[in-house]
Amino acid sequence: MVNLIPLLRSRKISVRQKVDAFLLLFIYCVPPILLSGIAADALLFYMGAIPVIPESSSRSCRKLQCIRQFAPVFEVGAAELLDGGRERIYLLPCLMYMFSLQ
């Protein structure tokens, strides 16, 4: 994150490139955010605030699981469209099938 301020102040790159670089650098913030979420979940679970089997949210959990499983498909599809490699888009159904087997 040390490079973030010089990146945003640079006049040699466009705003689009700055946003792209910022999002790329922000990936290093994801592990601490996820770790804090796991710690908060564990703390709430051991305090008794989260039930062992959430009965009311089973449908929403399935929806989130579906989104989580197919997120790589969406990511690969978007990357292929942005890169202009449209011939590899035809392989996405194979990737979707692979994730549906899990």
Side-chain angles (χ1 to χ4, degrees):
M1 297 310 292
V2 176
N3 298 327
L4 186 61
I5 294 173
L7 170 79
L8 295 176
R9 289 184 180 170
S10 175
R11 295 183 183 184
K12 295 180 182 179
I13 59 176
S14 68
V15 174
R16 183 177 179 194
Q17 291 172 330
K18 287 179 184 181
V19 169
D20 185 42
F22 171 77
L23 293 175
L24 183 65
L25 286 174
F26 191 71
I27 195 80
Y28 294 109
C29 293
V30 172
I33 292 170
L34 290 175
L35 187 60
S36 65
I38 291 170
D41 281 345
L43 182 66
L44 289 172
F45 176 76
Y46 286 116
M47 289 174 55
I50 299 177
V52 177
I53 300 174
E55 298 169 6
S56 64
S57 64
S58 63
R59 287 184 183 173
S60 64
C61 287
R62 285 188 208 132
K63 290 176 186 176
L64 288 175
Q65 183 180 6
C66 181
I67 292 170
R68 226 181 347 215
Q69 283 183 337
F70 289 111
V73 175
F74 302 140
E75 190 174 330
V76 167
E80 290 302 316
L81 287 174
L82 290 173
D83 290 342
R86 299 192 192 279
E87 64 275 354
R88 289 177 284 200
I89 295 281
Y90 298 117
L91 296 175
L92 282 177
C94 298
L95 186 61
M96 291 173 62
Y97 176 72
M98 184 179 74
F99 281 109
S100 68
L101 293 178
Q102 294 178 352

